[in-house]
Amino acid sequence: MFPGALNSEYSHELKFVSSVESIQTYQVMDSNGSVLDPAHEPQVSKEEAKAMYRNMLTLNAMDQILYEAQRQGRISFYMTSFGEEALIGSAAALNPKDLVFGQYREAGVLLQRGFTLEQFMNQCFSNERDLGKGRQMPIHYGTKELCFQTISSPLATQIPQAAGAAYGMRRDGNKLCTICYFGEGAASEGDFHAGLNMAATLGCPVIFYCRNNGYAISTPSIEQYRGDGIASRGIGYGIDTIRVDGNDVWAIYAATKAARKIAVEQNKPVLIEAMTYRVSHHSTSDDSSAYRSKKEVEDWSKRDNPISRMRNWMENKGWWMKGEDAEITKSAKTRVLEAFAAAERLKKPAIHHLFDEVYAELPPELQREKADIEALARKYPDYYQVNEFARS
């Protein structure tokens, strides 16, 4: 056969192929938290399950508080994860040393990995304890300690980066992988195709995790593509692919765990398409009522809530008592507010951090800019509010 299609067979029939069988959606439990097949009962301890659920509740509480804080003008920007909290299941299935490339709705992954509420608040306030030293807008988290690459605003740039990092891991032979999160809207970018093709042809141990939440900001998925979602594209690139119920934390957990095994043992990329629904506005800069009805959002929230589904599962096992949610949520809100207040009181990073950690030796033109800024700050300290900035 021809080298460009080794598995193709000859046919005497003139036929254009426009569709293939739709890819099924893997599910472990129904909306009531009942496991559909006992063979797929999650193999986790009570403590592990409760920790995951607490993180889902904490994420929800943090989102509520920081969303309102932005509306009050206390932080400049925010994006919530309402309706997509089950993503935490993917983080629980990884090795802590696996490298994460996020988009901007992966705060739950960081929570599961141990990112503290203080670290979340410091980043959103861009204060002197922000790990990024104030160089990024809110929710653009990053931490070397937890193997989480700093988030970048441009869509899909992380996809080829994750493939390249995974190729390096393959060469190192360390049995680790990368995981790359993105939305279905980002899958329309050229970097998506470049990243998947690179990973497939080079055999990179990377998990591509697509959050298909129905909307790319204001564009519904029906207007984004005509094919069978994003999963069908993985098959087109020769990548092992699965579609899962993105509101089912245990389907996500099982799929990610299996995907990681394929990635590290076979040095192959895997694509997971997680079908979910974005309950929130895209961001604090968006008003989703302009392009979808409030009734649609309310119906989804009532019909298929990932937090309710997880709680029902734990109650069915006797691992959670009715009423415990209120106590955990109250505690989470208290801790978030304490971290929020502490972060708000801190100074901004020292001005010299604008020029640090890019060049080993600062180029002459940046040396002049730095001197000019320092001179202006000395001359007009009140105008530039220099007392609000740390000294070092």
Side-chain angles (χ1 to χ4, degrees):
M1 296 302 294
F2 298 103
L6 295 174
N7 295 321
S8 179
E9 296 182 355
Y10 288 109
S11 171
H12 63 275
E13 184 180 1
L14 178 60
K15 179 182 179 182
F16 292 90
V17 178
S18 61
S19 64
V20 294
E21 185 179 350
S22 182
I23 299 169
Q24 294 182 324
T25 301
Y26 172 64
Q27 191 178 58
V28 170
M29 56 182 177
D30 62 20
S31 58
N32 296 317
S34 299
V35 174
L36 299 168
D37 182 349
H40 291 251
E41 179 72 38
Q43 300 303 305
V44 295
S45 68
K46 178 180 178 180
E47 291 70 27
E48 289 171 327
K50 294 184 76 169
M52 290 170 63
Y53 186 60
R54 287 193 188 97
N55 283 334
M56 293 171 75
L57 292 176
T58 300
L59 174 63
N60 192 267
M62 182 175 74
D63 279 350
Q64 291 178 36
I65 290 169
L66 289 178
Y67 182 87
E68 292 301 323
Q70 192 282 332
R71 287 294 185 249
Q72 296 166 9
R74 297 166 81 176
I75 60 175
S76 60
F77 179 79
Y78 195 69
M79 300 181 79
T80 67
S81 298
F82 297 138
E84 301 180 49
E85 295 89 353
L87 183 78
I88 282 175
S90 65
L94 297 171
N95 183 306
K97 295 298 181 183
D98 291 335
L99 189 57
V100 178
F101 288 79
Q103 186 163 319
Y104 40 55
R105 228 177 284 276
E106 283 76 47
V109 175
L110 275 169
L111 262 179
Q112 185 67 24
R113 287 202 159 194
F115 206 61
T116 67
L117 292 177
E118 289 74 18
Q119 289 173 316
F120 280 112
M121 301 304 127
N122 291 337
Q123 197 284 325
C124 287
F125 275 105
S126 294
N127 63 34
E128 60 185 310
R129 293 183 185 170
D130 169 22
L131 296 178
K133 300 178 181 176
R135 300 178 184 129
Q136 286 274 17
M137 62 191 290
I139 66 93
H140 287 53
Y141 310 111
T143 164
K144 183 177 181 180
E145 179 186 4
L146 300 178
C147 302
F148 193 103
Q149 287 283 338
T150 301
I151 292 168
S152 177
S153 285
L155 281 181
T157 55
Q158 74 275 18
I159 300 177
Q161 293 167 3
Y167 184 63
M169 290 176 169
R170 173 181 177 168
R171 289 174 61 88
D172 290 340
N174 54 20
K175 293 299 180 183
L176 295 173
C177 70
T178 64
I179 184 167
C180 181
Y181 296 92
F182 54 92
E184 85 285 351
S188 295
E189 296 285 338
D191 278 346
F192 168 84
H193 302 282
L196 265 68
N197 197 43
M198 174 184 175
T201 55
L202 295 178
C204 304
V206 52
I207 302 169
F208 295 111
Y209 188 106
C210 176
R211 294 177 287 95
N212 192 334
N213 62 20
Y215 288 91
I217 307 183
S218 60
T219 306
S221 56
I222 191 65
E223 296 179 15
Q224 294 180 56
Y225 51 76
R226 286 292 179 269
D228 184 21
I230 308 304
S232 61
R233 303 182 195 179
I235 296 170
Y237 281 112
I239 293 175
D240 289 6
T241 299
I242 188 170
R243 175 178 285 153
V244 303
D245 181 344
N247 289 347
D248 180 346
V249 67
W250 296 126
I252 292 172
Y253 175 82
T256 307
K257 202 172 186 66
R260 187 185 186 280
K261 182 178 176 66
I262 293 170
V264 300
E265 292 185 2
Q266 301 180 40
N267 283 318
K268 293 170 60 176
V270 182
L271 173 62
I272 298 173
E273 182 182 23
M275 312 305 292
T276 182
Y277 185 83
R278 194 195 77 210
V279 171
S280 62
H281 304 295
H282 173 72
S283 72
T284 50
S285 302
D286 175 48
D287 177 8
S288 66
S289 65
Y291 52 85
R292 62 180 181 179
S293 69
K294 292 183 178 179
K295 185 177 185 304
E296 175 186 318
V297 178
E298 291 170 358
D299 287 348
W300 264 102
S301 299
K302 295 174 183 176
R303 180 169 70 248
D304 195 8
N305 184 296
I307 292 178
S308 298
R309 196 190 290 196
M310 176 66 161
R311 180 179 62 249
N312 290 339
W313 177 82
M314 291 201 300
E315 287 179 355
N316 291 341
K317 293 182 71 68
W319 289 0
W320 197 261
M321 302 297 293
K322 291 184 178 179
E324 281 190 76
D325 275 34
E327 181 182 340
I328 297 298
T329 299
K330 181 180 178 180
S331 173
K333 287 183 175 179
T334 298
R335 291 186 292 115
V336 170
L337 288 170
E338 287 174 350
F340 181 95
E344 193 174 28
R345 288 193 296 267
L346 291 171
K347 291 180 179 292
K348 299 298 181 186
I351 295 173
H352 69 79
H353 287 310
L354 282 168
F355 303 91
D356 293 347
E357 298 175 344
V358 176
Y359 296 95
E361 185 176 341
L362 205 62
E365 63 272 20
L366 287 182
Q367 291 180 27
R368 288 192 294 270
E369 287 185 22
K370 184 179 180 181
D372 288 344
I373 288 175
E374 290 173 344
L376 284 169
R378 286 194 299 270
K379 188 173 182 179
Y380 305 106
D382 293 336
Y383 180 82
Y384 288 105
Q385 301 175 322
V386 295
N387 288 333
E388 293 185 9
F389 292 83
R391 296 296 181 185
S392 61

